[in-house]
Amino acid sequence: MNRYKDEFVSLASHELRTPLTTVKAYLQLLERAYANEEVGLNFTKKAIEGVYRLERLINDLLDISKIKIGQLDYNMAPIKSAEIIKNSVENLKYYSDTHEIIIKELADVTLMGDSVRLEQVLNNFLSNAIKYSPDANRVELDARQEGNNLIVSVQDFGIGIPEESIEHLVERYYRADNGAEVSSGLGIGLYLSQQILTEHKGKLLIESHINQGSTFQFVLPVYKS
Ligand code: ADP
């Protein structure tokens, strides 16, 4: 029975994606058409933000059903870290314009990995950093090489996470009490991130202080400096 449920979720999310892609494309055209009209442009931007959130939720649902039926596949190839980071930061502009993302250091090493999946991890870190720091206006990103590892950190100045919750964050569907108050979500993003990083022989590290903020890090082996 569960398998049918997972296959249904997989099929349904896949079908939902097609009309959403059309809506997104037309909204992007509208954004251009309204370039010189403030009110129209603002409304369109809000609609685009909503569509991006919806798209991410649908993709996460699709991924989680794929993991359950053992179908999440990876296209491993040599990839440059700076490109992944720049793409994610660029993508975030559509998600929200309330925070500035400050890149402190941008190490550019070659990794062996799936660029789409690694961008997904970084998108998740960045969008959470924004989502869970509603009163802040910046997020800091730092990518540096240490020995044979690339360490990418995303630091926010937000609500923080209760200490006892930290170890549970990567569990499927887990949401800490702090998060539920601030924003809606399914509690899937970090679970997927952890799965993706494990597949890349990497690690996910979390440090956080209540009302001060959180730092999410991933550590990945460098393929070539
Ligand atoms: P979602 O954001 O949809 O709940 P995630 O798996 O991405 O799912 O995150 C799981 C939980 O981890 C969140 O519900 C929240 O409680 C906590 N969390 C994640 N990132 C942050 C952050 N930057 N600051 C505070 N809490 C966070």
Side-chain angles (χ1 to χ4, degrees), residues 176-195:
D177 294 342
N178 67 340
E181 286 164 21
V182 174
S183 164
S184 61
L186 296 175
I188 297 178
L190 288 176
Y191 168 74
L192 288 174
S193 299
Q194 168 88 314
Q195 302 281 318

Side-chain angles (χ1 to χ4, degrees), residues 122-212:
L122 201 49
N123 285 341
N124 183 229
F125 283 10
L126 289 169
S127 59
N128 278 347
I130 292 174
K131 196 158 90 171
Y132 298 112
S133 68
D135 298 327
N137 58 11
R138 77 193 156 105
V139 166
E140 291 183 0
L141 194 158
D142 178 65
R144 59 187 148 57
Q145 184 176 2
E146 264 182 29
N148 271 338
N149 288 319
L150 172 75
I151 304 179
V152 178
S153 318
V154 173
Q155 182 177 11
D156 68 60
F157 304 90
I159 59 173
I161 305 158
E163 200 180 331
E164 65 278 10
S165 300
I166 293 184
E167 60 178 312
H168 298 291
L169 296 187
V170 297
E171 290 167 12
R172 192 164 45 189
Y173 309 130
Y174 183 84
R175 307 199 71 216
D177 294 342
N178 67 340
E181 286 164 21
V182 174
S183 164
S184 61
L186 296 175
I188 297 178
L190 288 176
Y191 168 74
L192 288 174
S193 299
Q194 168 88 314
Q195 302 281 318
I196 293 168
L197 290 171
T198 304
E199 198 69 31
H200 285 82
K201 301 186 173 56
K203 270 192 302 204
L204 192 162
L205 306 170
I206 306 168
E207 205 189 296
S208 186
H209 300 283
I210 285 288
N211 293 328
Q212 290 180 31

